[in-house]
Amino acid sequence: RPRAGPSSDMRTAALLAALVAPVAGVTWIKGSGGASCDTVCAARDGCTEEAWPKSVEEFEEVTKTLGFACVGTQEGGAKYDPSTDGRYCGWMGPEGDGDTTRCSESGDGSTYRFCPCNADKEL
């Protein structure tokens, strides 16, 4: 029976690190109710406008990374999407929002935004 040696342990550690590593330098954070992503990311080197999900699959990767499960997911279409009310999620911002900034937007107190921050830990 083969014995798990250091190289096996190192491969396992590398795989686990890859699973929790932020994608393309962006760290997703689920904000508190009513908070904008500018607020959520303030201590994490700011919010980036370039990282919003472009498909429901990309959004589902974000929620999976955060350990959050949406009961249902729809396009949404609000400037504060991607967001959740704690159960249901909206992933896509307004149509044709290429010129619209979304980091500064916020919903009401029962809206929790998923925010793309520039750093993985508070500065």
Side-chain angles (χ1 to χ4, degrees), residues 6-24:
S7 65
S8 174
D9 292 340
M10 289 170 59
R11 281 193 301 259
T12 301
L15 177 63
L16 289 174
L19 293 174
V20 298
V23 177

mmCIF file with all atom_site columns, all heavy atoms in Angstrom, residues 6-24:
data_model
loop_
_atom_site.group_PDB
_atom_site.id
_atom_site.type_symbol
_atom_site.label_atom_id
_atom_site.label_alt_id
_atom_site.label_comp_id
_atom_site.label_asym_id
_atom_site.label_entity_id
_atom_site.label_seq_id
_atom_site.pdbx_PDB_ins_code
_atom_site.Cartn_x
_atom_site.Cartn_y
_atom_site.Cartn_z
_atom_site.occupancy
_atom_site.B_iso_or_equiv
_atom_site.pdbx_formal_charge
_atom_site.auth_seq_id
_atom_site.auth_comp_id
_atom_site.auth_asym_id
_atom_site.auth_atom_id
_atom_site.pdbx_PDB_model_num
ATOM 1   N N   . PRO A 1 6  ? 5.493   13.447 1.647   1.00 0.00 ? 6  PRO A N   1
ATOM 2   C CA  . PRO A 1 6  ? 5.465   14.913 1.591   1.00 0.00 ? 6  PRO A CA  1
ATOM 3   C C   . PRO A 1 6  ? 4.945   15.466 0.270   1.00 0.00 ? 6  PRO A C   1
ATOM 4   O O   . PRO A 1 6  ? 4.249   16.456 0.247   1.00 0.00 ? 6  PRO A O   1
ATOM 5   C CB  . PRO A 1 6  ? 6.924   15.319 1.812   1.00 0.00 ? 6  PRO A CB  1
ATOM 6   C CG  . PRO A 1 6  ? 7.588   14.125 2.409   1.00 0.00 ? 6  PRO A CG  1
ATOM 7   C CD  . PRO A 1 6  ? 6.795   12.922 1.985   1.00 0.00 ? 6  PRO A CD  1
ATOM 8   N N   . SER A 1 7  ? 5.272   14.806 -0.859  1.00 0.00 ? 7  SER A N   1
ATOM 9   C CA  . SER A 1 7  ? 4.824   15.344 -2.146  1.00 0.00 ? 7  SER A CA  1
ATOM 10  C C   . SER A 1 7  ? 3.305   15.252 -2.261  1.00 0.00 ? 7  SER A C   1
ATOM 11  O O   . SER A 1 7  ? 2.665   16.132 -2.817  1.00 0.00 ? 7  SER A O   1
ATOM 12  C CB  . SER A 1 7  ? 5.511   14.634 -3.317  1.00 0.00 ? 7  SER A CB  1
ATOM 13  O OG  . SER A 1 7  ? 5.127   13.276 -3.345  1.00 0.00 ? 7  SER A OG  1
ATOM 14  N N   . SER A 1 8  ? 2.715   14.184 -1.711  1.00 0.00 ? 8  SER A N   1
ATOM 15  C CA  . SER A 1 8  ? 1.257   14.051 -1.722  1.00 0.00 ? 8  SER A CA  1
ATOM 16  C C   . SER A 1 8  ? 0.618   15.147 -0.866  1.00 0.00 ? 8  SER A C   1
ATOM 17  O O   . SER A 1 8  ? -0.368  15.760 -1.257  1.00 0.00 ? 8  SER A O   1
ATOM 18  C CB  . SER A 1 8  ? 0.859   12.669 -1.198  1.00 0.00 ? 8  SER A CB  1
ATOM 19  O OG  . SER A 1 8  ? -0.549  12.589 -1.091  1.00 0.00 ? 8  SER A OG  1
ATOM 20  N N   . ASP A 1 9  ? 1.200   15.397 0.310   1.00 0.00 ? 9  ASP A N   1
ATOM 21  C CA  . ASP A 1 9  ? 0.688   16.445 1.193   1.00 0.00 ? 9  ASP A CA  1
ATOM 22  C C   . ASP A 1 9  ? 0.813   17.819 0.543   1.00 0.00 ? 9  ASP A C   1
ATOM 23  O O   . ASP A 1 9  ? -0.078  18.657 0.666   1.00 0.00 ? 9  ASP A O   1
ATOM 24  C CB  . ASP A 1 9  ? 1.444   16.444 2.533   1.00 0.00 ? 9  ASP A CB  1
ATOM 25  C CG  . ASP A 1 9  ? 1.149   15.201 3.363   1.00 0.00 ? 9  ASP A CG  1
ATOM 26  O OD1 . ASP A 1 9  ? 0.116   14.540 3.112   1.00 0.00 ? 9  ASP A OD1 1
ATOM 27  O OD2 . ASP A 1 9  ? 1.953   14.904 4.259   1.00 0.00 ? 9  ASP A OD2 1
ATOM 28  N N   . MET A 1 10 ? 1.909   18.046 -0.183  1.00 0.00 ? 10 MET A N   1
ATOM 29  C CA  . MET A 1 10 ? 2.110   19.340 -0.837  1.00 0.00 ? 10 MET A CA  1
ATOM 30  C C   . MET A 1 10 ? 1.109   19.539 -1.969  1.00 0.00 ? 10 MET A C   1
ATOM 31  O O   . MET A 1 10 ? 0.591   20.629 -2.150  1.00 0.00 ? 10 MET A O   1
ATOM 32  C CB  . MET A 1 10 ? 3.551   19.459 -1.345  1.00 0.00 ? 10 MET A CB  1
ATOM 33  C CG  . MET A 1 10 ? 4.548   19.622 -0.203  1.00 0.00 ? 10 MET A CG  1
ATOM 34  S SD  . MET A 1 10 ? 6.274   19.501 -0.673  1.00 0.00 ? 10 MET A SD  1
ATOM 35  C CE  . MET A 1 10 ? 6.445   20.792 -1.857  1.00 0.00 ? 10 MET A CE  1
ATOM 36  N N   . ARG A 1 11 ? 0.824   18.464 -2.725  1.00 0.00 ? 11 ARG A N   1
ATOM 37  C CA  . ARG A 1 11 ? -0.179  18.562 -3.790  1.00 0.00 ? 11 ARG A CA  1
ATOM 38  C C   . ARG A 1 11 ? -1.547  18.880 -3.204  1.00 0.00 ? 11 ARG A C   1
ATOM 39  O O   . ARG A 1 11 ? -2.276  19.704 -3.728  1.00 0.00 ? 11 ARG A O   1
ATOM 40  C CB  . ARG A 1 11 ? -0.228  17.271 -4.604  1.00 0.00 ? 11 ARG A CB  1
ATOM 41  C CG  . ARG A 1 11 ? 0.873   17.138 -5.620  1.00 0.00 ? 11 ARG A CG  1
ATOM 42  C CD  . ARG A 1 11 ? 0.598   16.012 -6.588  1.00 0.00 ? 11 ARG A CD  1
ATOM 43  N NE  . ARG A 1 11 ? 0.450   14.745 -5.896  1.00 0.00 ? 11 ARG A NE  1
ATOM 44  C CZ  . ARG A 1 11 ? 1.393   13.816 -5.806  1.00 0.00 ? 11 ARG A CZ  1
ATOM 45  N NH1 . ARG A 1 11 ? 2.562   14.018 -6.375  1.00 0.00 ? 11 ARG A NH1 1
ATOM 46  N NH2 . ARG A 1 11 ? 1.176   12.699 -5.163  1.00 0.00 ? 11 ARG A NH2 1
ATOM 47  N N   . THR A 1 12 ? -1.883  18.232 -2.103  1.00 0.00 ? 12 THR A N   1
ATOM 48  C CA  . THR A 1 12 ? -3.164  18.487 -1.445  1.00 0.00 ? 12 THR A CA  1
ATOM 49  C C   . THR A 1 12 ? -3.229  19.937 -0.970  1.00 0.00 ? 12 THR A C   1
ATOM 50  O O   . THR A 1 12 ? -4.231  20.620 -1.173  1.00 0.00 ? 12 THR A O   1
ATOM 51  C CB  . THR A 1 12 ? -3.368  17.526 -0.250  1.00 0.00 ? 12 THR A CB  1
ATOM 52  O OG1 . THR A 1 12 ? -3.314  16.193 -0.748  1.00 0.00 ? 12 THR A OG1 1
ATOM 53  C CG2 . THR A 1 12 ? -4.690  17.771 0.434   1.00 0.00 ? 12 THR A CG2 1
ATOM 54  N N   . ALA A 1 13 ? -2.166  20.429 -0.365  1.00 0.00 ? 13 ALA A N   1
ATOM 55  C CA  . ALA A 1 13 ? -2.136  21.817 0.113   1.00 0.00 ? 13 ALA A CA  1
ATOM 56  C C   . ALA A 1 13 ? -2.259  22.793 -1.054  1.00 0.00 ? 13 ALA A C   1
ATOM 57  O O   . ALA A 1 13 ? -2.979  23.790 -0.966  1.00 0.00 ? 13 ALA A O   1
ATOM 58  C CB  . ALA A 1 13 ? -0.850  22.085 0.890   1.00 0.00 ? 13 ALA A CB  1
ATOM 59  N N   . ALA A 1 14 ? -1.580  22.502 -2.159  1.00 0.00 ? 14 ALA A N   1
ATOM 60  C CA  . ALA A 1 14 ? -1.660  23.381 -3.331  1.00 0.00 ? 14 ALA A CA  1
ATOM 61  C C   . ALA A 1 14 ? -3.069  23.395 -3.904  1.00 0.00 ? 14 ALA A C   1
ATOM 62  O O   . ALA A 1 14 ? -3.582  24.442 -4.296  1.00 0.00 ? 14 ALA A O   1
ATOM 63  C CB  . ALA A 1 14 ? -0.656  22.947 -4.391  1.00 0.00 ? 14 ALA A CB  1
ATOM 64  N N   . LEU A 1 15 ? -3.710  22.230 -3.935  1.00 0.00 ? 15 LEU A N   1
ATOM 65  C CA  . LEU A 1 15 ? -5.080  22.156 -4.437  1.00 0.00 ? 15 LEU A CA  1
ATOM 66  C C   . LEU A 1 15 ? -6.021  22.953 -3.543  1.00 0.00 ? 15 LEU A C   1
ATOM 67  O O   . LEU A 1 15 ? -6.851  23.720 -4.027  1.00 0.00 ? 15 LEU A O   1
ATOM 68  C CB  . LEU A 1 15 ? -5.537  20.694 -4.520  1.00 0.00 ? 15 LEU A CB  1
ATOM 69  C CG  . LEU A 1 15 ? -6.979  20.471 -4.971  1.00 0.00 ? 15 LEU A CG  1
ATOM 70  C CD1 . LEU A 1 15 ? -7.173  20.994 -6.389  1.00 0.00 ? 15 LEU A CD1 1
ATOM 71  C CD2 . LEU A 1 15 ? -7.340  19.007 -4.903  1.00 0.00 ? 15 LEU A CD2 1
ATOM 72  N N   . LEU A 1 16 ? -5.885  22.802 -2.232  1.00 0.00 ? 16 LEU A N   1
ATOM 73  C CA  . LEU A 1 16 ? -6.751  23.549 -1.311  1.00 0.00 ? 16 LEU A CA  1
ATOM 74  C C   . LEU A 1 16 ? -6.519  25.051 -1.445  1.00 0.00 ? 16 LEU A C   1
ATOM 75  O O   . LEU A 1 16 ? -7.460  25.828 -1.433  1.00 0.00 ? 16 LEU A O   1
ATOM 76  C CB  . LEU A 1 16 ? -6.508  23.103 0.131   1.00 0.00 ? 16 LEU A CB  1
ATOM 77  C CG  . LEU A 1 16 ? -7.028  21.706 0.463   1.00 0.00 ? 16 LEU A CG  1
ATOM 78  C CD1 . LEU A 1 16 ? -6.605  21.300 1.869   1.00 0.00 ? 16 LEU A CD1 1
ATOM 79  C CD2 . LEU A 1 16 ? -8.531  21.632 0.316   1.00 0.00 ? 16 LEU A CD2 1
ATOM 80  N N   . ALA A 1 17 ? -5.275  25.461 -1.612  1.00 0.00 ? 17 ALA A N   1
ATOM 81  C CA  . ALA A 1 17 ? -4.971  26.888 -1.780  1.00 0.00 ? 17 ALA A CA  1
ATOM 82  C C   . ALA A 1 17 ? -5.618  27.428 -3.050  1.00 0.00 ? 17 ALA A C   1
ATOM 83  O O   . ALA A 1 17 ? -6.133  28.539 -3.075  1.00 0.00 ? 17 ALA A O   1
ATOM 84  C CB  . ALA A 1 17 ? -3.463  27.119 -1.809  1.00 0.00 ? 17 ALA A CB  1
ATOM 85  N N   . ALA A 1 18 ? -5.619  26.610 -4.112  1.00 0.00 ? 18 ALA A N   1
ATOM 86  C CA  . ALA A 1 18 ? -6.220  27.045 -5.374  1.00 0.00 ? 18 ALA A CA  1
ATOM 87  C C   . ALA A 1 18 ? -7.734  27.211 -5.222  1.00 0.00 ? 18 ALA A C   1
ATOM 88  O O   . ALA A 1 18 ? -8.342  28.071 -5.854  1.00 0.00 ? 18 ALA A O   1
ATOM 89  C CB  . ALA A 1 18 ? -5.907  26.049 -6.483  1.00 0.00 ? 18 ALA A CB  1
ATOM 90  N N   . LEU A 1 19 ? -8.342  26.400 -4.385  1.00 0.00 ? 19 LEU A N   1
ATOM 91  C CA  . LEU A 1 19 ? -9.796  26.474 -4.214  1.00 0.00 ? 19 LEU A CA  1
ATOM 92  C C   . LEU A 1 19 ? -10.239 27.725 -3.457  1.00 0.00 ? 19 LEU A C   1
ATOM 93  O O   . LEU A 1 19 ? -11.337 28.202 -3.647  1.00 0.00 ? 19 LEU A O   1
ATOM 94  C CB  . LEU A 1 19 ? -10.307 25.224 -3.479  1.00 0.00 ? 19 LEU A CB  1
ATOM 95  C CG  . LEU A 1 19 ? -10.191 23.913 -4.250  1.00 0.00 ? 19 LEU A CG  1
ATOM 96  C CD1 . LEU A 1 19 ? -10.600 22.745 -3.364  1.00 0.00 ? 19 LEU A CD1 1
ATOM 97  C CD2 . LEU A 1 19 ? -11.042 23.944 -5.502  1.00 0.00 ? 19 LEU A CD2 1
ATOM 98  N N   . VAL A 1 20 ? -9.394  28.239 -2.569  1.00 0.00 ? 20 VAL A N   1
ATOM 99  C CA  . VAL A 1 20 ? -9.785  29.401 -1.780  1.00 0.00 ? 20 VAL A CA  1
ATOM 100 C C   . VAL A 1 20 ? -9.143  30.699 -2.256  1.00 0.00 ? 20 VAL A C   1
ATOM 101 O O   . VAL A 1 20 ? -9.440  31.758 -1.741  1.00 0.00 ? 20 VAL A O   1
ATOM 102 C CB  . VAL A 1 20 ? -9.469  29.199 -0.274  1.00 0.00 ? 20 VAL A CB  1
ATOM 103 C CG1 . VAL A 1 20 ? -10.252 28.037 0.280   1.00 0.00 ? 20 VAL A CG1 1
ATOM 104 C CG2 . VAL A 1 20 ? -7.986  28.999 -0.041  1.00 0.00 ? 20 VAL A CG2 1
ATOM 105 N N   . ALA A 1 21 ? -8.280  30.609 -3.251  1.00 0.00 ? 21 ALA A N   1
ATOM 106 C CA  . ALA A 1 21 ? -7.593  31.803 -3.736  1.00 0.00 ? 21 ALA A CA  1
ATOM 107 C C   . ALA A 1 21 ? -8.559  32.715 -4.481  1.00 0.00 ? 21 ALA A C   1
ATOM 108 O O   . ALA A 1 21 ? -9.440  32.257 -5.195  1.00 0.00 ? 21 ALA A O   1
ATOM 109 C CB  . ALA A 1 21 ? -6.452  31.410 -4.666  1.00 0.00 ? 21 ALA A CB  1
ATOM 110 N N   . PRO A 1 22 ? -8.425  34.022 -4.307  1.00 0.00 ? 22 PRO A N   1
ATOM 111 C CA  . PRO A 1 22 ? -9.270  34.947 -5.054  1.00 0.00 ? 22 PRO A CA  1
ATOM 112 C C   . PRO A 1 22 ? -9.005  34.835 -6.549  1.00 0.00 ? 22 PRO A C   1
ATOM 113 O O   . PRO A 1 22 ? -7.885  34.559 -6.950  1.00 0.00 ? 22 PRO A O   1
ATOM 114 C CB  . PRO A 1 22 ? -8.867  36.329 -4.533  1.00 0.00 ? 22 PRO A CB  1
ATOM 115 C CG  . PRO A 1 22 ? -7.736  36.137 -3.595  1.00 0.00 ? 22 PRO A CG  1
ATOM 116 C CD  . PRO A 1 22 ? -7.479  34.669 -3.435  1.00 0.00 ? 22 PRO A CD  1
ATOM 117 N N   . VAL A 1 23 ? -10.005 35.044 -7.350  1.00 0.00 ? 23 VAL A N   1
ATOM 118 C CA  . VAL A 1 23 ? -9.885  34.952 -8.799  1.00 0.00 ? 23 VAL A CA  1
ATOM 119 C C   . VAL A 1 23 ? -9.404  36.291 -9.339  1.00 0.00 ? 23 VAL A C   1
ATOM 120 O O   . VAL A 1 23 ? -9.979  37.330 -9.037  1.00 0.00 ? 23 VAL A O   1
ATOM 121 C CB  . VAL A 1 23 ? -11.244 34.568 -9.420  1.00 0.00 ? 23 VAL A CB  1
ATOM 122 C CG1 . VAL A 1 23 ? -11.153 34.542 -10.933 1.00 0.00 ? 23 VAL A CG1 1
ATOM 123 C CG2 . VAL A 1 23 ? -11.711 33.228 -8.881  1.00 0.00 ? 23 VAL A CG2 1
ATOM 124 N N   . ALA A 1 24 ? -8.363  36.278 -10.135 1.00 0.00 ? 24 ALA A N   1
ATOM 125 C CA  . ALA A 1 24 ? -7.824  37.457 -10.812 1.00 0.00 ? 24 ALA A CA  1
ATOM 126 C C   . ALA A 1 24 ? -7.602  38.631 -9.859  1.00 0.00 ? 24 ALA A C   1
ATOM 127 O O   . ALA A 1 24 ? -7.843  39.771 -10.203 1.00 0.00 ? 24 ALA A O   1
ATOM 128 C CB  . ALA A 1 24 ? -8.734  37.861 -11.959 1.00 0.00 ? 24 ALA A CB  1
#
